[in-house]
Every structure is written in structure tokens, then in C-alpha cells.
Amino acid sequence: MPGRVVDPQRRQELLESGAIFTAQRTVRGDSVSHDHRLKFDGVARYLQDAGQDHLLHIGHEDIHPHWVVRRTVIEILAGGEQPDVLNVERWGSKLGSRWCNVRIDLDGQRGTRIETEAFWINFNVKTVTPSALSESFVNTVGSAAEPGVLRWKQWLDPAPHPDAFEVPFLLRAADLDIIQHVNNAVYWTALEEVLATAPDLREQLPLRGVVEHNSPLQIEDAPRLLAHRKGATLYAWLVTGDRTAAAMSVEALPEKSA
């Protein structure tokens, strides 16, 4: 994943323009597991909050109010001591005409280190199609992005492995968001359920989780959660009928230098 802007003068310019957004989040008890691990679904909620706050900060909450996430990558590099206070930094790392990659890093005051990146599509709910990014958004958020045009490339196979096993999972009415779709963080809850089947893996750090959304879920879909382990990687799928709504994975990573 592309790193942060470190040049002091350039960084200050991007902070003043709103291209880089910073905030703090206090980790609460519902985001921490019984063994004091910051959970993936807790991180996903922090990412959503930071996204809404960033749009509000740059005055685009009404210009681009609706976004659909296509893929999120969360790398938990160090668990820290929980509950922690997280310093959040968010910026656009690459843009296309209707979508963008967004980086969010979370650094805890008590040792938590997390790096994330998500592929977000600007969405028109009336036409149910991707919508062009405004010039003002491109000029602001795009000023921190890498050069070049962002294009979508799928990472995970949407077809479940033939030997995949089923993990108990149930959607609830409380999992639906404002447009009656399953909230993004719920997919990470499903991945946590899969990770619970591999205690040796869930206790390792660093860990990388990936969720790729292929189609929306609604509560009447009653999806099945399937999983398959290959070495140090767990793969998972949320399927309804012959449709895979999301493909997911979690894997152990080699340690990164600070």
C-alpha cells in the first residue's frame, strides 16, 4: 500500500486543504475481543466513521453522499494495549473518474498499528449506477493521490472452494443500513466468525484481512458463510443461492519494520 506523505511542507498543505484528514477514535469495549484483540469489524466501523467525517470536513457530504465499497484491506500490524486511543489519518491514494482508493492509517497511543486501503465507488442511488466524481472532489482529495488512473482488479476468487465448510452465521435486522443493505462492517463480523475456527491464526500478528463485495446483501437473502483454509490463509465466502455476495480472506503476514 502507498505510504503517507512525509515531506513537512507538502503534508501541511494537504492538511490545510482537507486532502489529508486526521481525527482521534477511542477504542470501546465492543471493538475488543475477550483476549483483548482489536477486532476487524471494530476497525471497519472506525473506517466508516472517518469516511463520513472526512466528507463533512471538506464540505462534500451533500455533493457525494452515497458510496459503495468494492474492496477493503485491513492490516493489523501491532495489537497494542486495549482499549487504545487511535490517531486516524485518511487520504485518497489513487483516483479514477467514478471511484477512488482511500488509505486510512490508525496509530494507537498504546501501541496499535493498523494500515488500511479501500476501493470506494461514488454511487447514484437514483440511477443505481456509479457517478462521476465532482471537479471539486478531484481537486481536493485527488491532490494527495498517486499519479495515474485507478482501475478495478479483483483479488479473490468469488467461487467457494469445493471443500469449503460451513460456519454458523445469521443476519439480523440490526445489520441493515439506511438503504436496507447489510452494513459493510457486518462482512467483517462474518470474517471474525471464520477466524474463530482457527485459534492458532487469530493469535498471530500481523494479520491481513480482505473483503471483496460482489453484490449487495439483504436480510431475506439468508446467506451461508463458507470457509476453507490453505496454509496460513483462511478464505471465506458469503453466498446466497448461486450468487457470491462477498469473497474474503485473512492471512498471517511477515512482520513489518516500524
Side-chain angles (χ1 to χ4, degrees):
M1 291 189 281
R4 306 183 197 187
V5 175
V6 295
D7 176 76
Q9 182 176 348
R10 178 63 175 151
R11 177 177 171 78
Q12 186 59 36
E13 292 172 354
L14 294 172
L15 283 166
E16 291 175 357
S17 70
I20 297 176
F21 172 74
T22 59
Q24 274 195 348
R25 289 289 183 273
T26 300
V27 176
R28 305 299 184 187
D30 62 347
S31 296
V32 181
S33 67
H34 68 278
D35 54 357
H36 292 265
R37 180 179 60 86
L38 182 54
K39 297 182 293 184
F40 278 110
D41 57 322
V43 176
R45 286 190 289 271
Y46 299 145
L47 304 186
Q48 290 181 158
D49 290 346
Q52 289 183 320
D53 290 349
H54 192 179
L55 283 175
L56 180 64
H57 179 66
I58 61 175
H60 280 65
E61 71 276 15
D62 294 325
I63 300 173
H64 295 316
H66 302 294
W67 294 82
V68 173
V69 66
R70 192 70 170 84
R71 174 174 56 233
T72 305
V73 182
I74 297 175
E75 294 185 353
I76 303 179
L77 305 179
E81 184 179 345
Q82 301 302 333
D84 205 343
V85 177
L86 306 177
N87 297 313
V88 181
E89 184 165 316
R90 187 181 195 269
W91 71 98
S93 56
K94 200 161 189 176
L95 269 67
S97 60
R98 293 171 171 79
W99 41 72
C100 59
N101 265 352
V102 176
R103 281 291 316 274
I104 302 181
D105 284 2
L106 304 100
D107 294 309
Q109 297 177 8
R110 306 177 76 180
T112 303
R113 287 183 56 230
I114 299 172
E115 295 182 359
T116 79
E117 186 169 66
F119 188 108
W120 285 97
I121 300 173
N122 182 40
F123 201 69
N124 187 319
V125 294
K126 294 181 179 179
T127 62
V128 198
T129 58
S131 184
L133 296 172
S134 65
E135 183 178 352
S136 59
F137 184 91
V138 171
N139 289 341
T140 301
V141 177
S143 60
E146 290 186 323
V149 178
L150 175 65
R151 292 182 173 84
W152 169 253
K153 183 178 181 181
Q154 196 159 28
W155 288 9
L156 301 177
D157 187 349
H161 192 278
D163 297 328
F165 59 92
E166 188 159 354
V167 178
F169 184 73
L170 179 67
L171 284 183
R172 306 162 303 170
D175 294 330
L176 300 181
D177 61 20
I178 195 170
I179 57 173
Q180 294 294 300
H181 289 162
V182 174
N183 185 269
N184 300 329
V186 176
Y187 294 82
W188 290 94
T189 302
L191 194 58
E192 282 284 345
E193 293 296 317
V194 172
L195 189 55
T197 69
D200 63 314
L201 183 59
R202 75 188 299 273
E203 293 174 359
Q204 295 187 49
L205 287 180
L207 282 178
R208 174 195 285 152
V210 179
V211 172
E212 282 190 347
H213 302 265
N214 298 306
S215 61
L217 273 178
Q218 296 177 320
I219 199 162
E220 59 267 24
D221 290 325
R224 299 167 62 217
L225 178 59
L226 304 177
H228 175 74
R229 181 163 181 174
K230 183 177 181 181
T233 305
L234 266 171
Y235 296 95
W237 301 266
L238 275 170
V239 299
T240 174
D242 296 329
R243 174 170 64 90
T244 297
M248 303 172 283
S249 69
V250 59
E251 64 180 315
L253 295 176
E255 288 194 26
K256 287 187 177 183
S257 58

